[in-house]
Amino acid sequence: MKRLLLVLFLLISIAAVLQAQQKPQYTQYVFNNFLLNPALSGIENYTDVKLGYRSQWTGLQGAPTTSYLTVSAPLGDDFLNGDASEMPAAGTADPASRSYLQNYEAAPNHHGIGFMVVSDKAGPVTATNIDATYAYHIGLTSELNLSLGVAAGVARTSLNTSLLTTTTPDDPAVDGANGGIWSPDLSVGVWAYASNYYLGASVQQVLPEKLYFDAKDAADQSKTVPQYFFTAGYKIYMSDDLTLMPSVMVKVINPVPITYDVNAKISFRDIFWIGGSYRHGDSYGVLAGFNVNSLINVGYSYDITTSALNTVSNGTHEIVLSILLNNRYKVTCPQREF
């Protein structure tokens, strides 16, 4: 039974890549929405570097693993030299306190740039995306910002044919698969944010690309499809030390059924946070994060599989390391990204 499930899983993984080219899924995106939306480029008053690793369905041979590097930085003297949510140097204002809400001011108009590399492997299929990002942040009111962003780069999909057994030697259907397929990659997004809420929308894989490894085969169903993400979150001040942040993400990928995530996290000042998540028809998750100091933050999550794979899966682990460079205000947690 376990081998049968593995074979079915590998076939489904290959079909997903060759027909829909779905992006990796994350639980820790609540710690790094920049992965889903380029409009978050430069949202913070420091250079935000994040390293992430996700091992999905551990215990199942050939299960997906995802690793990534993201870098986001602001540009603009008005923002860099005159703002960290309008707080004094050394981070004396706690972003989880009511006083922060009262003193919050929208960020000055500024630019943001970024870079990301994401590698996702599922069975014999490896998908890699390399993108540069840009965003412009506008102060709509004294307390509300709107940012527009774009990510552009390249995507590569390859198939490790040594893991496959075909009835025909040198099968043209996978000929040249080890060298991979290169294609352009484009994403766009919009993000509105204030002191206690955010709203976002983005679309990835804007440009449809053929995915057949055999260049002579040109079936229409082998193209990538756009993937739409809609996100929202709201910060509830439970006390001067505790805040509750419920959030939701809806993902739309035609012809796959619409999926959604529901999350909630509780933060204690700017020291640590814990939370939970539910992904419809897939998993429950527990999350935790610790802000070590003004240089390093760490986040971890564990997902419990609720689909049919729970009979062979030991769950999903994901860890994110965040490094806050050029952090002149010595803040120990995000001020605007929640």
PDB file of all heavy atoms in Angstrom, residues 24-52:
ATOM      1  N   PRO A  24       5.017  26.469  -4.796  1.00  0.00           N
ATOM      2  CA  PRO A  24       5.068  25.805  -3.499  1.00  0.00           C
ATOM      3  C   PRO A  24       4.080  26.441  -2.535  1.00  0.00           C
ATOM      4  O   PRO A  24       3.733  27.616  -2.660  1.00  0.00           O
ATOM      5  CB  PRO A  24       6.511  26.044  -3.030  1.00  0.00           C
ATOM      6  CG  PRO A  24       7.258  26.553  -4.192  1.00  0.00           C
ATOM      7  CD  PRO A  24       6.280  27.107  -5.162  1.00  0.00           C
ATOM      8  N   GLN A  25       3.614  25.666  -1.569  1.00  0.00           N
ATOM      9  CA  GLN A  25       2.782  26.252  -0.537  1.00  0.00           C
ATOM     10  C   GLN A  25       3.604  26.391   0.748  1.00  0.00           C
ATOM     11  O   GLN A  25       4.566  25.678   0.971  1.00  0.00           O
ATOM     12  CB  GLN A  25       1.537  25.398  -0.279  1.00  0.00           C
ATOM     13  CG  GLN A  25       1.784  24.012   0.281  1.00  0.00           C
ATOM     14  CD  GLN A  25       0.471  23.264   0.456  1.00  0.00           C
ATOM     15  OE1 GLN A  25      -0.588  23.646  -0.032  1.00  0.00           O
ATOM     16  NE2 GLN A  25       0.530  22.147   1.174  1.00  0.00           N
ATOM     17  N   TYR A  26       3.211  27.370   1.565  1.00  0.00           N
ATOM     18  CA  TYR A  26       3.945  27.670   2.787  1.00  0.00           C
ATOM     19  C   TYR A  26       2.963  27.802   3.942  1.00  0.00           C
ATOM     20  O   TYR A  26       1.808  28.188   3.749  1.00  0.00           O
ATOM     21  CB  TYR A  26       4.712  28.997   2.660  1.00  0.00           C
ATOM     22  CG  TYR A  26       5.550  29.141   1.410  1.00  0.00           C
ATOM     23  CD1 TYR A  26       5.043  29.773   0.280  1.00  0.00           C
ATOM     24  CD2 TYR A  26       6.851  28.660   1.357  1.00  0.00           C
ATOM     25  CE1 TYR A  26       5.813  29.924  -0.866  1.00  0.00           C
ATOM     26  CE2 TYR A  26       7.624  28.797   0.214  1.00  0.00           C
ATOM     27  CZ  TYR A  26       7.096  29.434  -0.892  1.00  0.00           C
ATOM     28  OH  TYR A  26       7.852  29.575  -2.022  1.00  0.00           O
ATOM     29  N   THR A  27       3.435  27.492   5.125  1.00  0.00           N
ATOM     30  CA  THR A  27       2.694  27.812   6.340  1.00  0.00           C
ATOM     31  C   THR A  27       3.227  29.095   6.949  1.00  0.00           C
ATOM     32  O   THR A  27       2.485  29.906   7.479  1.00  0.00           O
ATOM     33  CB  THR A  27       2.803  26.667   7.355  1.00  0.00           C
ATOM     34  OG1 THR A  27       2.264  25.470   6.771  1.00  0.00           O
ATOM     35  CG2 THR A  27       2.026  26.978   8.636  1.00  0.00           C
ATOM     36  N   GLN A  28       4.539  29.321   6.816  1.00  0.00           N
ATOM     37  CA  GLN A  28       5.185  30.481   7.409  1.00  0.00           C
ATOM     38  C   GLN A  28       5.077  31.734   6.534  1.00  0.00           C
ATOM     39  O   GLN A  28       5.819  32.691   6.749  1.00  0.00           O
ATOM     40  CB  GLN A  28       6.662  30.172   7.670  1.00  0.00           C
ATOM     41  CG  GLN A  28       6.900  29.171   8.786  1.00  0.00           C
ATOM     42  CD  GLN A  28       6.880  29.822  10.163  1.00  0.00           C
ATOM     43  OE1 GLN A  28       7.045  31.019  10.294  1.00  0.00           O
ATOM     44  NE2 GLN A  28       6.679  29.019  11.176  1.00  0.00           N
ATOM     45  N   TYR A  29       4.161  31.748   5.563  1.00  0.00           N
ATOM     46  CA  TYR A  29       3.999  32.973   4.784  1.00  0.00           C
ATOM     47  C   TYR A  29       3.489  34.110   5.673  1.00  0.00           C
ATOM     48  O   TYR A  29       3.661  35.291   5.343  1.00  0.00           O
ATOM     49  CB  TYR A  29       3.058  32.754   3.599  1.00  0.00           C
ATOM     50  CG  TYR A  29       1.612  32.548   3.963  1.00  0.00           C
ATOM     51  CD1 TYR A  29       0.763  33.637   4.151  1.00  0.00           C
ATOM     52  CD2 TYR A  29       1.093  31.273   4.119  1.00  0.00           C
ATOM     53  CE1 TYR A  29      -0.563  33.449   4.491  1.00  0.00           C
ATOM     54  CE2 TYR A  29      -0.227  31.072   4.456  1.00  0.00           C
ATOM     55  CZ  TYR A  29      -1.052  32.164   4.651  1.00  0.00           C
ATOM     56  OH  TYR A  29      -2.361  31.967   4.995  1.00  0.00           O
ATOM     57  N   VAL A  30       2.871  33.780   6.817  1.00  0.00           N
ATOM     58  CA  VAL A  30       2.455  34.838   7.748  1.00  0.00           C
ATOM     59  C   VAL A  30       3.675  35.553   8.320  1.00  0.00           C
ATOM     60  O   VAL A  30       3.560  36.655   8.857  1.00  0.00           O
ATOM     61  CB  VAL A  30       1.595  34.255   8.886  1.00  0.00           C
ATOM     62  CG1 VAL A  30       0.288  33.708   8.339  1.00  0.00           C
ATOM     63  CG2 VAL A  30       2.336  33.173   9.658  1.00  0.00           C
ATOM     64  N   PHE A  31       4.837  34.921   8.207  1.00  0.00           N
ATOM     65  CA  PHE A  31       6.101  35.504   8.651  1.00  0.00           C
ATOM     66  C   PHE A  31       6.833  36.170   7.489  1.00  0.00           C
ATOM     67  O   PHE A  31       7.789  36.900   7.698  1.00  0.00           O
ATOM     68  CB  PHE A  31       6.956  34.388   9.259  1.00  0.00           C
ATOM     69  CG  PHE A  31       8.175  34.850  10.012  1.00  0.00           C
ATOM     70  CD1 PHE A  31       8.127  35.923  10.875  1.00  0.00           C
ATOM     71  CD2 PHE A  31       9.372  34.173   9.875  1.00  0.00           C
ATOM     72  CE1 PHE A  31       9.248  36.329  11.583  1.00  0.00           C
ATOM     73  CE2 PHE A  31      10.502  34.560  10.568  1.00  0.00           C
ATOM     74  CZ  PHE A  31      10.433  35.648  11.437  1.00  0.00           C
ATOM     75  N   ASN A  32       6.353  35.907   6.239  1.00  0.00           N
ATOM     76  CA  ASN A  32       7.038  36.427   5.051  1.00  0.00           C
ATOM     77  C   ASN A  32       6.073  36.501   3.872  1.00  0.00           C
ATOM     78  O   ASN A  32       6.190  35.750   2.901  1.00  0.00           O
ATOM     79  CB  ASN A  32       8.237  35.535   4.709  1.00  0.00           C
ATOM     80  CG  ASN A  32       9.139  36.142   3.653  1.00  0.00           C
ATOM     81  OD1 ASN A  32       9.015  37.314   3.315  1.00  0.00           O
ATOM     82  ND2 ASN A  32      10.049  35.355   3.110  1.00  0.00           N
ATOM     83  N   ASN A  33       5.097  37.424   3.924  1.00  0.00           N
ATOM     84  CA  ASN A  33       4.146  37.581   2.824  1.00  0.00           C
ATOM     85  C   ASN A  33       4.810  38.044   1.535  1.00  0.00           C
ATOM     86  O   ASN A  33       4.203  37.989   0.464  1.00  0.00           O
ATOM     87  CB  ASN A  33       3.057  38.576   3.229  1.00  0.00           C
ATOM     88  CG  ASN A  33       1.873  37.904   3.900  1.00  0.00           C
ATOM     89  OD1 ASN A  33       1.142  37.154   3.265  1.00  0.00           O
ATOM     90  ND2 ASN A  33       1.696  38.165   5.181  1.00  0.00           N
ATOM     91  N   PHE A  34       6.052  38.503   1.631  1.00  0.00           N
ATOM     92  CA  PHE A  34       6.808  38.900   0.457  1.00  0.00           C
ATOM     93  C   PHE A  34       6.921  37.745  -0.547  1.00  0.00           C
ATOM     94  O   PHE A  34       7.020  37.964  -1.756  1.00  0.00           O
ATOM     95  CB  PHE A  34       8.196  39.375   0.905  1.00  0.00           C
ATOM     96  CG  PHE A  34       9.135  39.735  -0.206  1.00  0.00           C
ATOM     97  CD1 PHE A  34       8.792  40.657  -1.177  1.00  0.00           C
ATOM     98  CD2 PHE A  34      10.400  39.158  -0.275  1.00  0.00           C
ATOM     99  CE1 PHE A  34       9.673  41.000  -2.193  1.00  0.00           C
ATOM    100  CE2 PHE A  34      11.288  39.490  -1.281  1.00  0.00           C
ATOM    101  CZ  PHE A  34      10.919  40.409  -2.249  1.00  0.00           C
ATOM    102  N   LEU A  35       6.892  36.502  -0.064  1.00  0.00           N
ATOM    103  CA  LEU A  35       6.937  35.336  -0.950  1.00  0.00           C
ATOM    104  C   LEU A  35       5.767  35.316  -1.923  1.00  0.00           C
ATOM    105  O   LEU A  35       5.888  34.825  -3.045  1.00  0.00           O
ATOM    106  CB  LEU A  35       6.935  34.049  -0.125  1.00  0.00           C
ATOM    107  CG  LEU A  35       8.246  33.587   0.493  1.00  0.00           C
ATOM    108  CD1 LEU A  35       7.973  32.498   1.518  1.00  0.00           C
ATOM    109  CD2 LEU A  35       9.216  33.096  -0.563  1.00  0.00           C
ATOM    110  N   LEU A  36       4.628  35.837  -1.489  1.00  0.00           N
ATOM    111  CA  LEU A  36       3.416  35.778  -2.292  1.00  0.00           C
ATOM    112  C   LEU A  36       3.112  37.074  -3.017  1.00  0.00           C
ATOM    113  O   LEU A  36       2.365  37.074  -3.990  1.00  0.00           O
ATOM    114  CB  LEU A  36       2.214  35.415  -1.404  1.00  0.00           C
ATOM    115  CG  LEU A  36       2.337  34.145  -0.559  1.00  0.00           C
ATOM    116  CD1 LEU A  36       1.064  33.952   0.263  1.00  0.00           C
ATOM    117  CD2 LEU A  36       2.612  32.924  -1.420  1.00  0.00           C
ATOM    118  N   ASN A  37       3.685  38.182  -2.518  1.00  0.00           N
ATOM    119  CA  ASN A  37       3.283  39.481  -3.051  1.00  0.00           C
ATOM    120  C   ASN A  37       4.483  40.423  -3.139  1.00  0.00           C
ATOM    121  O   ASN A  37       5.030  40.837  -2.116  1.00  0.00           O
ATOM    122  CB  ASN A  37       2.208  40.086  -2.148  1.00  0.00           C
ATOM    123  CG  ASN A  37       1.491  41.249  -2.795  1.00  0.00           C
ATOM    124  OD1 ASN A  37       2.064  42.006  -3.571  1.00  0.00           O
ATOM    125  ND2 ASN A  37       0.215  41.413  -2.475  1.00  0.00           N
ATOM    126  N   PRO A  38       4.911  40.798  -4.351  1.00  0.00           N
ATOM    127  CA  PRO A  38       6.088  41.666  -4.501  1.00  0.00           C
ATOM    128  C   PRO A  38       5.855  43.084  -3.996  1.00  0.00           C
ATOM    129  O   PRO A  38       6.809  43.851  -3.836  1.00  0.00           O
ATOM    130  CB  PRO A  38       6.350  41.659  -6.009  1.00  0.00           C
ATOM    131  CG  PRO A  38       5.020  41.366  -6.626  1.00  0.00           C
ATOM    132  CD  PRO A  38       4.343  40.425  -5.665  1.00  0.00           C
ATOM    133  N   ALA A  39       4.595  43.456  -3.723  1.00  0.00           N
ATOM    134  CA  ALA A  39       4.307  44.800  -3.229  1.00  0.00           C
ATOM    135  C   ALA A  39       4.868  45.036  -1.835  1.00  0.00           C
ATOM    136  O   ALA A  39       4.908  46.172  -1.368  1.00  0.00           O
ATOM    137  CB  ALA A  39       2.801  45.048  -3.231  1.00  0.00           C
ATOM    138  N   LEU A  40       5.333  43.977  -1.150  1.00  0.00           N
ATOM    139  CA  LEU A  40       5.941  44.130   0.167  1.00  0.00           C
ATOM    140  C   LEU A  40       7.424  44.464   0.084  1.00  0.00           C
ATOM    141  O   LEU A  40       8.080  44.607   1.123  1.00  0.00           O
ATOM    142  CB  LEU A  40       5.738  42.882   1.019  1.00  0.00           C
ATOM    143  CG  LEU A  40       4.369  42.795   1.717  1.00  0.00           C
ATOM    144  CD1 LEU A  40       3.334  42.172   0.812  1.00  0.00           C
ATOM    145  CD2 LEU A  40       4.446  42.032   3.021  1.00  0.00           C
ATOM    146  N   SER A  41       7.968  44.597  -1.108  1.00  0.00           N
ATOM    147  CA  SER A  41       9.375  44.976  -1.254  1.00  0.00           C
ATOM    148  C   SER A  41       9.627  46.299  -0.538  1.00  0.00           C
ATOM    149  O   SER A  41       8.955  47.290  -0.800  1.00  0.00           O
ATOM    150  CB  SER A  41       9.744  45.125  -2.740  1.00  0.00           C
ATOM    151  OG  SER A  41       9.462  43.949  -3.462  1.00  0.00           O
ATOM    152  N   GLY A  42      10.580  46.314   0.387  1.00  0.00           N
ATOM    153  CA  GLY A  42      10.951  47.551   1.067  1.00  0.00           C
ATOM    154  C   GLY A  42       9.927  48.082   2.032  1.00  0.00           C
ATOM    155  O   GLY A  42       9.920  49.278   2.333  1.00  0.00           O
ATOM    156  N   ILE A  43       9.074  47.234   2.575  1.00  0.00           N
ATOM    157  CA  ILE A  43       8.025  47.702   3.479  1.00  0.00           C
ATOM    158  C   ILE A  43       8.566  48.085   4.846  1.00  0.00           C
ATOM    159  O   ILE A  43       8.013  48.933   5.534  1.00  0.00           O
ATOM    160  CB  ILE A  43       6.910  46.629   3.613  1.00  0.00           C
ATOM    161  CG1 ILE A  43       5.664  47.230   4.263  1.00  0.00           C
ATOM    162  CG2 ILE A  43       7.408  45.427   4.396  1.00  0.00           C
ATOM    163  CD1 ILE A  43       4.469  46.294   4.252  1.00  0.00           C
ATOM    164  N   GLU A  44       9.697  47.465   5.252  1.00  0.00           N
ATOM    165  CA  GLU A  44      10.288  47.755   6.553  1.00  0.00           C
ATOM    166  C   GLU A  44      11.444  48.737   6.421  1.00  0.00           C
ATOM    167  O   GLU A  44      11.978  48.960   5.329  1.00  0.00           O
ATOM    168  CB  GLU A  44      10.763  46.457   7.215  1.00  0.00           C
ATOM    169  CG  GLU A  44       9.658  45.456   7.508  1.00  0.00           C
ATOM    170  CD  GLU A  44       8.685  45.918   8.582  1.00  0.00           C
ATOM    171  OE1 GLU A  44       8.981  46.922   9.260  1.00  0.00           O
ATOM    172  OE2 GLU A  44       7.629  45.284   8.738  1.00  0.00           O
ATOM    173  N   ASN A  45      11.864  49.289   7.554  1.00  0.00           N
ATOM    174  CA  ASN A  45      12.899  50.305   7.583  1.00  0.00           C
ATOM    175  C   ASN A  45      14.293  49.689   7.748  1.00  0.00           C
ATOM    176  O   ASN A  45      15.169  50.273   8.366  1.00  0.00           O
ATOM    177  CB  ASN A  45      12.618  51.296   8.718  1.00  0.00           C
ATOM    178  CG  ASN A  45      13.473  52.534   8.620  1.00  0.00           C
ATOM    179  OD1 ASN A  45      14.490  52.637   9.283  1.00  0.00           O
ATOM    180  ND2 ASN A  45      13.068  53.477   7.795  1.00  0.00           N
ATOM    181  N   TYR A  46      14.479  48.496   7.235  1.00  0.00           N
ATOM    182  CA  TYR A  46      15.760  47.808   7.277  1.00  0.00           C
ATOM    183  C   TYR A  46      15.808  46.821   6.108  1.00  0.00           C
ATOM    184  O   TYR A  46      14.801  46.601   5.422  1.00  0.00           O
ATOM    185  CB  TYR A  46      15.961  47.082   8.607  1.00  0.00           C
ATOM    186  CG  TYR A  46      14.800  46.177   8.999  1.00  0.00           C
ATOM    187  CD1 TYR A  46      14.671  44.896   8.477  1.00  0.00           C
ATOM    188  CD2 TYR A  46      13.830  46.610   9.906  1.00  0.00           C
ATOM    189  CE1 TYR A  46      13.614  44.073   8.826  1.00  0.00           C
ATOM    190  CE2 TYR A  46      12.768  45.804  10.260  1.00  0.00           C
ATOM    191  CZ  TYR A  46      12.667  44.535   9.725  1.00  0.00           C
ATOM    192  OH  TYR A  46      11.612  43.721  10.062  1.00  0.00           O
ATOM    193  N   THR A  47      16.951  46.243   5.881  1.00  0.00           N
ATOM    194  CA  THR A  47      17.084  45.208   4.860  1.00  0.00           C
ATOM    195  C   THR A  47      16.723  43.869   5.477  1.00  0.00           C
ATOM    196  O   THR A  47      17.380  43.403   6.410  1.00  0.00           O
ATOM    197  CB  THR A  47      18.523  45.164   4.309  1.00  0.00           C
ATOM    198  OG1 THR A  47      18.838  46.429   3.719  1.00  0.00           O
ATOM    199  CG2 THR A  47      18.663  44.076   3.255  1.00  0.00           C
ATOM    200  N   ASP A  48      15.669  43.272   4.969  1.00  0.00           N
ATOM    201  CA  ASP A  48      15.121  42.045   5.545  1.00  0.00           C
ATOM    202  C   ASP A  48      15.581  40.845   4.716  1.00  0.00           C
ATOM    203  O   ASP A  48      15.216  40.704   3.553  1.00  0.00           O
ATOM    204  CB  ASP A  48      13.601  42.133   5.556  1.00  0.00           C
ATOM    205  CG  ASP A  48      12.956  40.988   6.331  1.00  0.00           C
ATOM    206  OD1 ASP A  48      13.688  40.246   7.003  1.00  0.00           O
ATOM    207  OD2 ASP A  48      11.718  40.855   6.263  1.00  0.00           O
ATOM    208  N   VAL A  49      16.389  39.997   5.322  1.00  0.00           N
ATOM    209  CA  VAL A  49      16.885  38.788   4.660  1.00  0.00           C
ATOM    210  C   VAL A  49      16.254  37.579   5.344  1.00  0.00           C
ATOM    211  O   VAL A  49      16.307  37.455   6.569  1.00  0.00           O
ATOM    212  CB  VAL A  49      18.418  38.688   4.744  1.00  0.00           C
ATOM    213  CG1 VAL A  49      18.909  37.412   4.060  1.00  0.00           C
ATOM    214  CG2 VAL A  49      19.069  39.919   4.132  1.00  0.00           C
ATOM    215  N   LYS A  50      15.647  36.696   4.562  1.00  0.00           N
ATOM    216  CA  LYS A  50      15.022  35.510   5.141  1.00  0.00           C
ATOM    217  C   LYS A  50      15.483  34.261   4.394  1.00  0.00           C
ATOM    218  O   LYS A  50      15.537  34.229   3.166  1.00  0.00           O
ATOM    219  CB  LYS A  50      13.499  35.614   5.087  1.00  0.00           C
ATOM    220  CG  LYS A  50      12.901  36.545   6.136  1.00  0.00           C
ATOM    221  CD  LYS A  50      11.392  36.450   6.161  1.00  0.00           C
ATOM    222  CE  LYS A  50      10.805  37.186   7.362  1.00  0.00           C
ATOM    223  NZ  LYS A  50      10.994  38.629   7.304  1.00  0.00           N
ATOM    224  N   LEU A  51      15.795  33.240   5.188  1.00  0.00           N
ATOM    225  CA  LEU A  51      16.136  31.911   4.682  1.00  0.00           C
ATOM    226  C   LEU A  51      15.083  30.936   5.193  1.00  0.00           C
ATOM    227  O   LEU A  51      14.797  30.906   6.403  1.00  0.00           O
ATOM    228  CB  LEU A  51      17.520  31.480   5.162  1.00  0.00           C
ATOM    229  CG  LEU A  51      18.708  32.307   4.660  1.00  0.00           C
ATOM    230  CD1 LEU A  51      19.950  32.006   5.501  1.00  0.00           C
ATOM    231  CD2 LEU A  51      18.976  32.001   3.200  1.00  0.00           C
ATOM    232  N   GLY A  52      14.493  30.154   4.288  1.00  0.00           N
ATOM    233  CA  GLY A  52      13.437  29.239   4.694  1.00  0.00           C
ATOM    234  C   GLY A  52      13.634  27.849   4.135  1.00  0.00           C
ATOM    235  O   GLY A  52      14.215  27.661   3.051  1.00  0.00           O
TER     236      GLY A  52
END
